[in-house]
Amino acid sequence: MKEFIKSIEPRIMEIFHHLHSHAEISWQEYQTTEYLTQLLESEGVRVKTFDDHTGLIGEMGNGKPVVALRADIDALWQEVNGTFQANHSCGHDAHMTMALGVLFVLKKFYPKPNGTIRFIFQPAEEKGTGALKMVEKGVVDDVSYLYGMHLRPFQEIPDGTAVPSILHGGARFVSGKIKSDDAHGARPHLGQNAIEIGANFVSFLNSIHIDPMQSYSAKMTAFQAGGESSNIIPGSATFSLDLRAQNNDTMEELQKKVDGIGQHLANYYGVDLSLEIDASVAAAEVSLEAQEKMKASIIDVLGEEKCYSPLVTTGGDDFHFYTIKRPHLKATMLGIGCDLAPGLHHPNMTFNHKAMLTGIEILAKTIIKTVEGEGTA
């Protein structure tokens, strides 16, 4: 298998560079969906697209068990060298490439699987809403095992290593509005200063206390109030909050405290203060069975010394909504050490592209072992 993967390296790199240079943001991955559709169909894979959103699934084989591999397909919108553009700074271009590489390997070494292998090319991971849409479409209802992958920065694991699961934390993105009347700068007693309310909100966020054994954070990440006239006290404002927690129960407790802060400030200042959850990303729910299968493949490919323990990270991924919404799923996500620097979401992120070849081999072996094991269970 390793020699075959090496022989298709030029094709793998060509696919990666195409996807990298044709990045598209969440829910607008039209060209990406079309490119993947054409490539999968050319490989003889059954393809299903969706009338109302981007993304697709591809299948090979028939019957049960159904084992799936998910790759996210969207990019971020950010400033790169002075220009705002869609940019694959989170590695989704590599994830798509690895999924396709796994397909090429399976066609060569496992063309008639004892079950169904499903490739899920999921949109809008960066919005935290793509996995939920795919769940809604039923794409994992009949799946037994679900695998994913993610490049990891050098600060977490070194190049040439891998982890059998990524224990992401939960994330929640909240938008807020303060609504009141403006006042004259000379008569502050006739109104409420939305900027002052926002400052107090930040202060209260910094005073939240939850079990110190649980990792969490809450911070204001955007605030807009006032205009060009410096003699007007703004009564209204909009703001954004970013909430993080290492497990889902802590996230719910954190949300209750944030809601309490909003209610308190609204009552104290006599303003209309509303909070709305724009998107959430669930904390990881990892199957130990899936993790062990991934671990065995990592050891097979890299050796035991290069297989690191499950990685706890404060980052989030909507991959974990699949198991939250469909508890029967046995899922885990491969973490790939690849000398990724300076970090995920940095506009000029780079990584060792050859690490994709390692990821392809690990994932292909895991899928084959899983289908064969389930098929004989």
Side-chain angles (χ1 to χ4, degrees):
M1 185 181 293
K2 194 182 297 291
E3 288 302 314
F4 173 75
I5 295 173
K6 186 176 180 180
S7 73
I8 63 171
E9 180 178 351
R11 187 182 186 193
I12 295 296
M13 296 306 168
E14 180 184 356
I15 290 171
F16 171 77
H17 289 300
H18 174 88
L19 292 168
H20 182 78
S21 61
H22 292 80
E24 296 174 295
I25 61 174
S26 301
W27 296 124
Q28 296 183 33
E29 311 96 332
Y30 303 111
Q31 293 183 26
T32 303
T33 299
E34 179 63 23
Y35 175 81
L36 294 170
T37 298
Q38 292 180 1
L39 198 155
L40 290 175
E41 288 179 342
S42 71
E43 293 292 326
V45 174
R46 301 189 303 275
V47 175
K48 178 182 178 181
T49 56
F50 305 93
D51 294 335
D52 56 343
H53 64 83
T54 49
L56 66 150
I57 61 173
E59 288 185 347
M60 57 184 297
N62 292 282
K64 293 188 176 182
V66 182
V67 177
L69 177 64
R70 175 269 206 173
D72 29 21
I73 70 174
D74 58 328
L76 292 157
W77 183 260
Q78 62 186 162
E79 186 176 2
V80 183
N81 300 324
T83 302
F84 279 94
Q85 63 184 66
N87 185 42
H88 275 303
S89 58
C90 201
H92 296 183
D93 44 1
H95 303 165
M96 289 184 278
T97 302
M98 283 187 279
L100 293 169
V102 170
L103 169 62
F104 302 151
V105 171
L106 294 179
K107 282 195 63 182
K108 172 70 174 178
F109 295 96
Y110 199 47
K112 296 181 179 180
N114 296 321
T116 302
I117 300 172
R118 182 173 299 156
F119 297 87
I120 302 172
F121 291 95
Q122 179 212 299
E125 188 280 325
E126 297 296 352
K127 292 288 188 182
T129 52
L132 291 171
K133 176 59 70 174
M134 298 301 254
V135 169
E136 178 186 314
K137 295 293 185 177
V139 302
V140 294
D141 286 355
D142 58 348
V143 173
S144 299
Y145 282 82
L146 174 67
Y147 296 109
M149 76 294 278
H150 210 300
L151 306 180
R152 303 317 304 167
F154 77 93
Q155 298 96 334
E156 293 183 346
I157 56 174
D159 189 17
T161 67
V163 295
S165 63
I166 305 173
L167 304 180
H168 286 104
R172 189 164 291 177
F173 312 108
V174 180
S175 60
K177 293 182 180 179
I178 301 167
K179 183 65 178 176
S180 186
D181 296 325
D182 293 347
H184 196 292
R187 301 173 183 86
H189 61 292
L190 297 180
Q192 300 296 344
N193 190 334
I195 297 174
E196 178 184 329
I197 298 171
N200 280 320
F201 208 125
V202 172
S203 179
F204 278 116
L205 289 176
N206 291 332
S207 300
I208 290 176
H209 296 294
I210 299 177
D211 182 355
M213 298 301 291
Q214 302 299 327
S215 175
Y216 63 91
S217 70
K219 53 275 180 192
M220 187 173 290
T221 54
F223 191 88
Q224 294 85 33
E228 295 183 3
S229 299
S230 58
N231 63 342
I232 295 177
I233 299 172
S236 299
T238 60
F239 59 93
S240 299
L241 305 176
D242 179 296
L243 312 183
R244 304 278 170 162
Q246 201 57 48
N247 64 59
N248 295 309
D249 289 340
T250 302
M251 177 61 78
E252 293 308 316
E253 186 176 356
L254 184 60
Q255 182 69 56
K256 288 180 181 179
K257 289 184 178 292
V258 169
D259 290 341
I261 292 171
Q263 188 61 53
H264 169 73
L265 291 173
N267 293 337
Y268 182 81
Y269 284 99
V271 299
D272 180 12
L273 195 157
S274 62
L275 298 173
E276 181 176 349
I277 298 173
D278 294 328
S280 295
V281 176
E285 300 283 350
V286 173
S287 160
L288 293 180
E289 293 176 63
Q291 178 179 288
E292 285 304 306
K293 292 179 187 297
M294 188 72 77
K295 179 180 178 180
S297 295
I298 294 172
I299 293 173
D300 189 16
V301 174
L302 295 176
E304 192 162 0
E305 72 282 0
K306 297 292 183 67
C307 180
Y308 281 37
S309 299
L311 176 66
V312 178
T313 178
T314 54
D317 196 296
D318 77 347
F319 176 85
H320 306 295
F321 273 131
Y322 290 107
T323 49
I324 296 292
K325 296 298 183 180
R326 297 294 183 267
H328 73 277
L329 276 176
K330 298 174 182 178
T332 193
M333 178 178 281
L334 170 69
I336 304 163
C338 55
D339 199 26
L340 188 153
L344 292 167
H345 289 204
H346 189 284
N348 300 119
M349 182 272 278
T350 62
F351 70 98
N352 176 8
H353 293 174
K354 287 187 177 293
M356 292 188 291
L357 307 179
T358 300
I360 290 168
E361 186 176 1
I362 293 170
L363 291 165
K365 286 179 178 288
T366 302
I367 289 171
I368 292 172
K369 290 176 182 177
T370 304
V371 174
E372 287 296 303
E374 289 295 288
T376 57

